[in-house]
Amino acid sequence: MNWTRFVPLLLLAVPGAAFAEKLTFDHRIYPPLAAVLDSGRTEMIRFNDSNPKYITDRIAVQGTSVDHWTEALDIIVRLRSSKMNSAGDWAGQIQRTASALCPSTYTTIAQDETSLTFERRSSACPAGTPQSGLYRIVTGRKSLFMLNSLAMGEMSASQRQQWLDLFGTARLDN
């Protein structure tokens, strides 16, 4: 099966009227991601809509499966609420959770009225915990959307730039 045509439906179309918005981005910007999606390897993708208020996709970009990866992309959509209403709210939650696992530093890369892009670098993490992460959170009318790339080790400068270029193509379609 050619995942390229199926990806927008699998990753971005979310059931229910609450999720009338959808996040789109150009996955071809990062060739390793495009290669996985074009490969048709179903073991590299996990879609979870068991909680309709918090829907996730994980794509293992490097590794043998979605359970055994060294580089991955998460795509998450969640309903806004009084406690989780902005990109900053979600970034704060991510930072508290990650810092509880291992010492981490955070750098804001870009921010505007509706989005936040930041980087996480961690050290002395337990085995199986990503040490590097790039995050882009976009605030919609009813939902929050996140793209985050994760690496078990340090991201190369080239990887980092390609992920940021991909994140730069992210936009909300209503």
Side-chain angles (χ1 to χ4, degrees):
M1 169 183 270
N2 182 337
W3 284 98
T4 304
R5 285 182 280 151
F6 190 62
V7 168
L9 297 174
L10 174 71
L11 303 176
L12 306 171
V14 184
F19 291 109
E21 303 165 296
K22 67 179 178 175
L23 182 71
T24 60
F25 60 95
D26 187 352
H27 70 278
R28 299 168 299 176
I29 298 288
Y30 190 51
L33 175 63
V36 167
L37 294 173
D38 289 342
S39 75
R41 294 180 58 200
T42 58
E43 74 275 12
M44 301 298 275
I45 300 171
R46 178 176 296 137
F47 177 71
N48 183 349
D49 65 350
S50 61
N51 177 354
K53 294 181 180 181
Y54 192 90
I55 298 174
T56 64
D57 277 304
R58 172 159 287 170
I59 303 166
V61 177
Q62 299 292 328
T64 58
S65 73
V66 76
D67 293 317
H68 301 284
W69 55 270
T70 57
E71 182 181 25
L73 172 68
D74 288 337
I75 305 164
I76 304 171
V77 60
R78 69 187 303 172
L79 287 177
R80 290 173 69 178
S81 69
S82 60
K83 292 183 181 181
M84 190 62 58
N85 193 41
S86 69
D89 292 341
W90 203 353
Q93 180 187 53
I94 291 164
Q95 292 172 8
R96 287 186 299 278
T97 302
S99 293
L101 290 172
C102 45
S104 301
T105 58
Y106 304 91
T107 305
T108 298
I109 296 169
Q111 186 171 10
D112 60 30
E113 313 78 50
T114 61
S115 69
L116 173 63
T117 303
F118 67 97
E119 181 173 26
R120 177 186 53 79
R121 291 184 181 195
S122 303
S123 60
C125 296
T129 302
Q131 292 182 331
S132 303
L134 291 169
Y135 302 79
R136 177 159 167 84
I137 303 170
V138 180
T139 305
R141 287 188 323 268
K142 295 183 179 186
S143 306
L144 294 168
F145 300 84
M146 182 171 60
L147 296 174
N148 71 288
S149 61
L150 301 169
M152 289 298 177
E154 195 69 28
M155 279 188 202
S156 72
S158 174
Q159 280 177 301
R160 181 182 183 279
Q161 188 56 56
Q162 288 178 60
W163 279 119
L164 290 174
D165 291 346
L166 181 146
F167 288 2
T169 69
R171 69 179 194 285
L172 289 181
D173 289 337
N174 298 348

